[in-house]
Amino acid sequence: MTMILTIGWLYPTLMSTYGDRGNVICLQRRCQWRNIPVSILPLDAESDYSKFAQVDLIVGGGAQDRQQEIVMRDLKGEKAKILKEVLRDGVPGVFTCGSPQLLGHYYEPAFGERIEGLGILDLVSKHPGNNAQRFIGNVVFDISVTSLVQELSVFWNDLPRVIGFENHGGRTFLGNVAPLGKVIKGYGNNGEDQTEGAFYQNAIATYAHGPLLPKNPFLADWMIYKALSRKSSSNKVLLDPLDDSLTLKARTSLLMRYGLG
Ligand code: GLN
């Protein structure tokens, strides 16, 4: 039986404000280049909750406060329950900015009521109001999750230094959840504690748009490897290497701009 990987895409019409659809495209193309059959499954208000259980990978993008509020009117009940279950069970995911804010306990937007989150990630996010500095610009951070650094070394023979672009007003504060990384350049979760993102099971939460995965292909390959390993219940999955020479040039150029090359 041919094994097809299903990429679940959370609310694609509401949470794609900052180009994070590039993460879906990157996963899709890096599978196709390896002849791994892959399908993209939108998970949104029109989706039956059962669809949320059919995913092998999940992508959640960024959004403005208003769209986040609309999403949370729908992402509740069985949909929320199943999303919690699949992430707890280790389905690999990448959640950017507005998405992880909703996976936390709550997000207090610039205006309006607090948006209650799913409580999957032990974190809270607060927007200090539109007069506060918005965190916008290139961001560079080093993965600080030891187990993830070790696993990424299979796909990348260098320090897993992540490059992205952040654009958020919200500040995120972590509870009992591991930060994804340590900020080298930029603001990260809150511009204060040098943490960036969060890591839970096989879910990557980050403020880094970019889009993230094309700029950091080792993260995409790690996600694909995790999904294939779960689906085939084998730890002998091998991914053919791809030509990432153009990506390497772009990364070197940006890192040199900050004296990090
Ligand atoms: N609206 C949220 C904020 O301003 C998320 C923004 C985003 O997804 N880039 O923090």
Side-chain angles (χ1 to χ4, degrees):
M1 179 185 79
T2 306
M3 186 161 59
I4 299 177
L5 286 186
T6 300
I7 303 171
W9 187 4
L10 283 177
Y11 301 86
T13 55
L14 285 167
M15 301 195 83
S16 294
T17 311
Y18 302 86
D20 300 310
R21 67 179 59 241
N23 290 336
V24 176
I25 297 167
C26 181
L27 289 168
Q28 179 189 42
R29 298 298 285 137
R30 293 185 78 85
C31 284
Q32 290 171 336
W33 288 332
R34 294 174 167 119
N35 298 315
I36 300 168
V38 61
S39 69
I40 298 172
L41 177 65
L43 300 171
D44 53 22
E46 287 71 43
S47 306
D48 181 80
Y49 68 81
S50 61
K51 299 289 185 190
F52 282 65
Q54 296 174 13
V55 299
D56 300 301
L57 297 127
I58 303 183
V59 176
Q64 294 168 311
D65 293 6
R66 172 93 179 91
Q67 283 79 6
Q68 290 172 275
E69 194 270 329
I70 295 170
V71 165
M72 289 315 286
R73 288 184 212 155
D74 181 69
L75 187 51
K76 54 190 178 186
E78 281 300 308
K79 290 181 179 180
K81 178 174 172 287
I82 293 172
L83 181 57
K84 284 183 188 178
E85 288 169 355
V86 298
L87 292 181
R88 183 201 57 210
D89 294 348
V91 166
V94 56
F95 301 94
T96 313
C97 204
S99 286
Q101 290 176 341
L102 301 180
L103 297 183
H105 297 298
Y106 62 78
Y107 172 50
E108 292 178 354
F111 297 103
E113 299 297 307
R114 173 188 286 191
I115 302 170
E116 295 304 326
L118 299 182
I120 298 172
L121 302 179
D122 185 11
L123 57 86
V124 298
S125 303
K126 304 174 186 176
H127 192 307
N130 283 345
N131 293 329
Q133 179 191 12
R134 188 168 180 83
F135 291 165
I136 298 176
N138 288 311
V139 59
V140 179
F141 63 93
D142 287 341
I143 299 288
S144 54
V145 180
T146 305
S147 60
L148 181 56
V149 171
Q150 287 166 351
E151 292 183 353
L152 289 172
S153 64
V154 173
F155 308 103
W156 194 250
N157 57 7
D158 196 353
L159 181 72
R161 178 158 282 179
V162 180
I163 300 171
F165 187 85
E166 57 188 327
N167 181 344
H168 56 107
R171 277 71 166 159
T172 290
F173 300 91
L174 305 181
N176 184 25
V177 64
L180 175 65
K182 182 180 184 314
V183 175
I184 305 294
K185 179 212 181 280
Y187 302 99
N189 282 330
N190 49 53
E192 297 168 15
D193 63 11
Q194 285 76 49
T195 65
E196 160 47 27
F199 186 71
Y200 166 73
Q201 298 296 71
N202 290 320
I204 290 170
T206 178
Y207 271 112
H209 301 289
L212 176 79
L213 296 184
K215 286 191 172 183
N216 307 278
F218 49 89
L219 292 176
D221 286 351
W222 175 80
M223 288 180 66
I224 295 167
Y225 168 80
K226 283 293 185 181
L228 286 172
S229 302
R230 288 185 78 252
K231 202 166 180 85
S232 63
S233 64
S234 157
N235 58 4
K236 296 277 187 284
V237 168
L238 292 174
L239 293 185
D240 296 335
L242 296 175
D243 176 5
D244 288 320
S245 52
L246 279 180
T247 300
L248 279 169
K249 283 182 181 166
R251 287 174 55 87
T252 302
S253 167
L254 193 131
L255 290 170
M256 286 179 72
R257 193 185 305 175
Y258 298 114
L260 300 169

